[in-house]
């Protein structure tokens, strides 16, 4: 069965790819354009045939504009929609009502919250679960050594740094995002190292594997993964695989769903690309997760495509980072995966049947510190991703180190960075030296000036493209995951990350930041003040509509 599945998975030639991918994209794009043209035609002709249609459309636009301006949306998003509505009142308001909502449907939001409640209840007696409280002034903080693990209703409560305790409690009150201790953390500074560790972990799977990725592309990386997954499935290991259809559509391996299904792998596309006009394509599944038996979990910026492991060269050297959780904290990742799986498929996964044995959790535990896995969803009115970053930054005492491939902040975010730097905290930001998206790179660079003038140290990764998404504060607390510093990640995409306190991986992340700085060029005041007038004009236009990009 394995050899047959692998045989079906041989790479196709250029003509086959063009016919399979180009045909699907072409037909869908034509269908979408036809629907848009029909919509515009009906609106314009309706105005001529029945004048009240035009009047009603303008009234709707005024009402929508008032709704937008009084909503809880960010001011940048309000302005990005207000401008086209004011310029095209006949079409703008109606178009926003049809396609402009940036959250899920009420039914999706209700189901998602219900499944989060189930995930929270599931973790109440999980090994390694810990509650925290703020230490009293002068109270000596524990070293947080590896804890003795047991599945018990009596959850241990420990006193930790007040800033860290408030951040953990904030996450716990925002979803099924609980704190675990006794988890080993391993940091990988480049994709190729993380990938080899993933393969090794998958080879050791005994019961089940769950994987979720934004991009899956044909190539060496996917071929190696698929061979392992197919072999494990043939050996009786349950395998779930979820991917974002639109994110993968251009380079997806041939006959992807059919091939995985024949190999015994459960596969589910998210936001399947089709001919219907819908803004659900805005709400992409940008998460990256690999979980093995509920005791090993990987996340970070790594997608499944050869450039992520530098098997091919795209945009110079591709630097990405990943984190591995081994032990009790990996179960937090598992609950994130199955919450999303059940939302998309309509299933009700029995989480209890997937629990790892206490013996295996104990054997693999042993790490110091605390970890919290969490996600950020478009199914609500706020950004947990930005809130977690902001809470981390505003409690910094000495230094903030951030790596991000896309830096498209709101005015509030720029203000936070600038005020922290002006207060004497060292704030360091690394972005790519070679971009993968020219327009996003232009927006990123357009935000340098207020940062540099406020004292933020901005660097560009000279060897190529940097895809890491992580922040370290005071060498004590860190976040690493899939969340970019842009509007899409904070408000439109499904994302995930791991919050850490005094784990071994944090020291490795700090050391890697220093090593990466040695390969960067620093952006100076002279650089940001020397931009030509026409370039600044382009930047203004791009920033204005960046929430819609």
């Amino acid at each position: 069965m394995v050899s047959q599945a692998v045989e079906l998975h041989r790479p196709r030639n250029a003509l086959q790819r063009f016919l399979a991918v180009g045909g699907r994209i072409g037909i869908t794009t034509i269908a979408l354009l036809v629907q848009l043209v029909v919509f515009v035609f009906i609106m314009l002709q309706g105005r001529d045939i029945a004048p009240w249609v035009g009047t009603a459309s303008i009234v709707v636009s005024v009402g929508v504009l008032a709704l937008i301006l009084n909503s809880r949306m960010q001011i940048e998003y309000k302005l990005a929609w207000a401008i086209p509505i004011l310029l095209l009142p006949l079409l703008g308001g109606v178009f926003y009502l049809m396609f402009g909502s940036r959250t899920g449907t009420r039914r999706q939001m209700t189901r998602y919250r219900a499944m989060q409640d189930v995930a929270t209840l599931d973790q109440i007696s999980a090994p390694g679960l810990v509650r925290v409280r703020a230490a009293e002034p002068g109270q000596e903080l524990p070293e947080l050594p590896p804890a003795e693990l047991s599945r018990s209703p009596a959850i241990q409560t420990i006193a930790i740094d007040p800033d860290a305790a408030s951040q953990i409690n904030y996450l716990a009150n925002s979803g099924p995002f609980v704190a675990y201790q006794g988890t080993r953390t391993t940091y990988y500074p480049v994709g190729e190292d993380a990938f080899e560790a993933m393969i090794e972990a998958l080879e050791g799977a005994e019961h089940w594997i769950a994987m979720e990725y934004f991009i899956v592309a044909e190539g060496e990386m996917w071929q190696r993964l698929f061979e392992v997954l197919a072999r494990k499935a043939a050996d009786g290991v349950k395998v779930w695989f979820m991917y974002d259809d639109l994110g993968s559509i251009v380079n997806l391996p041939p006959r992807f769903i059919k091939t995985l299904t024949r190999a015994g792998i459960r596969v589910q596309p998210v936001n399947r690309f089709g001919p219907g006009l819908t803004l659900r394509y805005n709400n992409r599944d940008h998460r990256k997760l690999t979980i093995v038996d509920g005791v090993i979990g990987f996340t970070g910026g790594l997608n499944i495509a050869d450039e992520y492991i530098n098997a091919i060269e795209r945009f110079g050297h591709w630097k990405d980072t990943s984190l591995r959780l081994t032990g009790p904290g990996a179960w937090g990742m598992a609950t994130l995966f199955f919450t999303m799986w059940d939302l998309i498929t309509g299933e009700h996964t029995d989480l209890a049947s997937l629990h790892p044995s206490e013996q295996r959790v104990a054997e693999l535990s042993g790490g110091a510190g605390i970890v919290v896995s969490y996600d950020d969803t478009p199914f609500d009115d706020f950004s947990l991703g930005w809130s977690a970053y902001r809470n981390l930054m505003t409690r910094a005492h000495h230094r903030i180190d951030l790596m991000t491939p896309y830096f498209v902040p709101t005015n509030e975010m720029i203000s936070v960075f600038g005020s922290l730097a002006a207060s004497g905290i060292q704030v360091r930001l690394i972005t790519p030296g070679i971009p993968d998206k020219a327009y996003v790179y232009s927006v990123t660079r357009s935000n340098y000036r207020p940062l540099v003038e406020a004292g933020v140290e901005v660097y560009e990764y000279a060897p190529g493209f940097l895809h890491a998404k992580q922040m370290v504060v005071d060498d004590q607390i860190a976040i690493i995951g899939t969340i970019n510093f842009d509007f899409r990640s904070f408000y439109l995409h499904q994302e995930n990350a791991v919050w850490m306190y005094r784990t071994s991986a944090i020291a490795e992340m700090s050391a890697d930041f220093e090593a990466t700085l040695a390969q960067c060029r620093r952006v100076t005041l002279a650089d940001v003040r020397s931009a030509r007038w026409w370039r600044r004009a382009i930047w203004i236009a791009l920033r204005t509509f960046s929430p819609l990009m």
Side-chain angles (χ1 to χ4, degrees), residues 335-378:
T335 61
L336 296 184
F337 175 88
F338 287 107
T339 297
M340 187 67 175
W341 177 273
D342 288 356
L343 178 71
I344 300 302
T345 64
E347 299 175 3
H348 297 278
T349 302
D350 181 8
L351 294 176
S353 68
L354 301 177
H355 284 162
S357 67
E358 293 182 26
Q359 179 181 354
R360 192 172 184 202
V361 175
E363 289 172 353
L364 294 176
S365 65
I370 295 173
V371 301
V372 183
S373 291
Y374 65 97
D375 70 358
D376 194 6
T377 172

Side-chain angles (χ1 to χ4, degrees), residues 145-453:
E148 181 179 346
L149 304 179
S150 64
R151 186 178 294 275
S152 169
I155 302 173
Q156 182 184 8
T157 300
I158 58 175
I160 63 172
D161 178 88
D163 290 338
S166 66
Q167 293 175 57
I168 290 174
N169 290 329
Y170 175 77
L171 292 172
N173 289 326
S174 301
F177 315 131
V178 300
Y180 289 91
Q181 61 178 335
T183 303
R184 298 178 186 176
T185 59
T186 308
Y187 172 73
Y188 301 96
V190 289
E192 40 269 47
D193 290 348
F195 181 57
E196 294 303 325
M198 285 171 56
I199 291 292
E200 180 182 4
L202 293 171
E203 292 281 12
E206 297 178 1
H207 304 290
W208 59 268
I209 294 167
M211 301 185 73
E212 178 180 359
Y213 284 88
F214 178 59
I215 294 174
V216 181
E218 185 176 9
E220 174 187 331
M221 187 178 183
W222 169 248
Q223 190 64 33
R224 287 188 61 191
L225 270 176
F226 175 74
E227 289 173 358
V228 175
L229 295 178
R231 183 165 13 91
K232 299 304 290 188
D235 291 341
V237 174
K238 296 179 180 178
V239 182
W240 291 267
F241 196 96
M242 189 160 43
Y243 68 99
D244 187 86
D245 193 45
L246 192 55
S248 304
I249 188 170
V250 174
N251 295 305
L252 194 69
R255 301 177 296 278
F256 188 72
I257 293 178
K258 182 182 293 186
T259 302
L260 267 66
T261 302
R262 287 180 176 176
I265 298 169
R266 296 283 310 280
V267 57
Q268 178 63 46
V270 181
N271 292 338
R272 189 150 195 179
F273 190 49
L277 266 181
T278 172
L279 204 75
R280 76 171 185 271
Y281 299 138
N282 251 346
N283 304 139
R284 314 273 285 279
D285 182 11
H286 195 246
R287 306 197 308 180
K288 291 97 177 171
L289 290 166
T290 291
I291 307 108
V292 176
D293 293 336
V295 290
I296 298 174
F298 292 85
T299 193
L302 208 66
N303 278 301
I304 302 174
D306 285 354
E307 60 267 30
Y308 288 84
I309 59 172
N310 289 291
I312 60 173
E313 182 175 325
R314 290 189 69 203
F315 317 114
H317 179 265
W318 193 294
K319 178 174 174 58
D320 214 330
T321 61
S322 298
L323 177 75
R324 170 176 169 153
L325 301 183
T326 306
W331 186 250
M333 286 188 183
T335 61
L336 296 184
F337 175 88
F338 287 107
T339 297
M340 187 67 175
W341 177 273
D342 288 356
L343 178 71
I344 300 302
T345 64
E347 299 175 3
H348 297 278
T349 302
D350 181 8
L351 294 176
S353 68
L354 301 177
H355 284 162
S357 67
E358 293 182 26
Q359 179 181 354
R360 192 172 184 202
V361 175
E363 289 172 353
L364 294 176
S365 65
I370 295 173
V371 301
V372 183
S373 291
Y374 65 97
D375 70 358
D376 194 6
T377 172
F379 304 132
D380 52 36
D381 294 323
F382 75 103
S383 170
L384 182 60
W386 162 237
S387 296
Y389 274 136
R390 182 185 57 205
N391 289 345
L392 198 59
M393 295 169 61
T394 54
R395 287 170 171 81
H397 299 286
H398 308 292
R399 185 171 62 249
I400 300 167
D401 291 334
L402 170 66
M403 291 184 185
T404 182
Y406 314 116
F407 190 74
V408 187
T410 64
N411 288 330
E412 176 201 1
M413 296 171 192
I414 291 178
S415 177
V416 170
F417 276 93
S419 62
L420 289 169
S423 69
I425 294 173
Q426 185 181 30
V427 182
R428 301 187 294 183
L429 165 67
I430 301 179
T431 64
I434 300 176
D436 69 331
K437 299 178 179 69
Y439 64 92
V440 179
Y441 191 54
S442 293
V443 177
T444 294
R445 286 186 150 187
S446 74
N447 292 298
Y448 286 170
R449 182 166 182 169
L451 297 177
V452 175
E453 288 180 339

Side-chain angles (χ1 to χ4, degrees), residues 111-150:
R111 283 200 70 227
Y112 191 73
R113 288 167 183 158
M115 286 183 289
Q116 285 189 319
D117 291 341
V118 171
T120 301
L121 291 173
D122 172 78
Q123 296 177 90
I124 285 178
S125 60
L129 183 66
V130 64
R131 289 197 177 103
V132 299
R133 61 176 178 83
E136 299 295 332
Q139 180 180 356
E140 184 176 351
L141 299 179
E143 289 298 321
L144 296 178
E148 181 179 346
L149 304 179
S150 64

